[in-house]
Amino acid sequence: ANTGKIVLLQGNYVENNVIVNKNVNITGEGNVVVDGNASGVVFTINSGNTVYLKNLNVKNAVNAKDGGAIYNKGTLNIETSIFDANAASNGNTGYHGDDIYNSGILTLHYSALLGKGTNKLIYNEGREPSANAQYNWWGTNSNPSTLVGAGLDYDDEPCDDVDVSNWVVMSVDPTSIEKVIVGNEKTLTVNFNHYNANGVIKELAKSIPSINVNFEAVNGTLSSDVAATDNGVASVTYTV
């Protein structure tokens, strides 16, 4: 089947209840924000369709049922995208997948999932769902397995868990500052270009998209309280 292509130019797009019934690639150029405006799921991918999403920032999607931002029944591939402040259930019980409810085949890499996971950020449920969500930043250096979940298939058997292995970790340089003189300046750098491979820290093949990092100083001053990453790295100047 032919695959359509949609390129979104930099900007904010308010979208919800977009039903995808064809093979399509959707790519953002620049800072592309897809704002759900708390008005339902943003994308529903129906079965039999293959969809690629790249370089998108999907936020503020609130759905009263399963799938805050995306309900996937097809084959969905996502890369270098951000999911933030999305929510399934909207207070109703028994619904899951704040970012993605997956009953199809999901591949999600080199992205940032910044939600709290109240209803699980990604949730597998359906006939034979599979979800490979490796090489992503989950807002924590800890194992993100508690942020995802799985229900039952159509035979009431447990679905496969979401694969969150090889998760991205944040490092800080320097880790401590000692023997300094008042008035000295130090550069503080955070780095998201590594991942945890079963306890071994390895270099990431591709950087996650730009995200904001909050800095705080107990003593001294910072050149900025917030810095955006560039190629996975963000820095501020600390004056003692």
Side-chain angles (χ1 to χ4, degrees), residues 105-118:
I105 299 172
L106 170 67
T107 303
L108 170 64
H109 296 325
Y110 308 113
S111 295
L113 298 93
L114 306 177
K116 296 179 180 179
T118 304

Side-chain angles (χ1 to χ4, degrees), residues 19-38:
I19 298 175
V20 182
N21 282 316
K22 62 183 291 185
N23 298 335
V24 64
N25 296 351
I26 303 176
T27 302
E29 288 192 355
N31 182 22
V32 174
V33 175
V34 181
D35 192 329
N37 197 33

Side-chain angles (χ1 to χ4, degrees), residues 67-88:
I70 297 176
Y71 192 124
N72 177 50
K73 306 174 190 176
T75 299
L76 175 59
N77 302 280
I78 304 173
E79 187 174 291
T80 53
S81 292
I82 300 172
F83 292 87
D84 191 17
N86 302 309

